[in-house]
Structure formats: structure tokens, C-alpha cells
Amino acid sequence: MREVEASRFVRATLPELERAVSPSDVIEHEGTFTVAEVTETDDGQRVTARAGGMEVTFVVEERDDGYYYAQLGDQGPFESMETTVTFARRNEGTDVTMRSTVSLGLPLSTLTDRIAAWKRRGELQRALDNVAAAVE
């Protein structure tokens, strides 16, 4: 399992971010999946997304400082994937940080998980760029 992180300063306040960017928006902003369905549950949300003939469900929790989401089961491209998105006010904007742990669950995990982390870092950076574009 590997951990990756990406951060970006966004020229938007916390309330502006909360109004403009939902948890399902963050998943779609990564650029890999298209959100097909969002279901509210007692624990948060279930976001079903699709890409390339694959359907993945993410469990999403809203937190005081952002969101947490994880791939549910092994339907997605990873054996496991968890991500936190945190918002921290700074000056006239917000620092948005995304941290993710990923594992492909394949032999030679030292190599395969490194490749998965490299791909995941690109998704996180793309998500941050798209979040900034949505509010700036």
C-alpha cells in the first residue's frame, strides 16, 4: 500500500467551496470516473461512478474539515483506495489537500503499488485543478 498527497491553494473561502464542490464533484473532478448515482445513507453517501465498462461504488463521509471517501469492495481499479480531502483557511482563500492510500493487490506490490500511486497522484492533481477552476 502506498500513500500520495497533493495540495493547492484555492482563491475561495470555505463556504464558497462547500457550495460549489460536493463530494461527488471531487470524485468526478479526478477525471477517471463519471458519477452515475448518489445515494444518501445514515453514514453519508454512496457514490456510484463508471469508466471504461467498470462500475465502482465509493462510500463518502463529510467531515468537519472536508471529506473522506473509499472504494467499496474490489470492483474498482484498486484492491483498496481511500482518500481524504481537507480544507484549511489561509489568507483570502483555502488550502485544499488530498491524501490517498492505494493498493493494487498484485504480486510485486513494491512495484505495482508504486505505479498505482503515480497514477493516483495525477488524479489528485487533476481534481485540485478542477476544484480551483470551479470556484475561481
Side-chain angles (χ1 to χ4, degrees):
M1 186 165 284
R2 292 280 202 183
E3 183 172 314
V4 295
E5 178 179 313
S7 294
R8 180 178 175 141
F9 177 78
V10 176
R11 294 193 183 285
T13 64
L14 290 170
E16 290 170 331
L17 276 168
E18 290 170 357
R19 283 191 301 273
V21 181
S22 70
S24 61
D25 291 334
V26 173
I27 292 169
E28 194 154 303
H29 285 330
E30 292 177 6
T32 300
F33 295 100
T34 301
V35 172
E37 182 180 6
V38 177
T39 305
E40 296 292 330
T41 68
D42 291 339
D43 299 329
Q45 298 177 345
R46 297 276 191 268
V47 175
T48 302
R50 296 186 180 112
M54 175 180 13
E55 184 172 281
V56 181
T57 300
F58 298 94
V59 59
V60 180
E61 298 172 10
E62 290 193 42
R63 296 185 171 175
D64 291 339
D65 62 347
Y67 308 117
Y68 163 85
Y69 59 98
Q71 176 183 297
L72 197 58
D74 59 0
Q75 301 168 335
F78 303 109
E79 177 184 63
S80 65
M81 188 277 295
E82 297 181 0
T83 302
T84 58
V85 182
T86 56
F87 305 120
R89 185 169 192 260
R90 180 168 60 101
N91 299 328
E92 299 298 317
T94 305
D95 286 317
V96 182
T97 302
M98 297 181 74
R99 287 182 188 87
S100 195
T101 56
V102 294
S103 176
L104 290 176
L106 297 173
L108 301 171
S109 63
T110 303
L111 176 62
T112 58
D113 285 355
R114 181 176 292 166
I115 293 167
W118 171 79
K119 180 187 182 315
R120 187 70 184 140
R121 181 176 285 112
E123 291 173 335
L124 298 181
Q125 290 170 336
R126 189 170 40 247
L128 291 170
D129 290 345
N130 287 328
V131 166
V135 295
E136 294 183 335

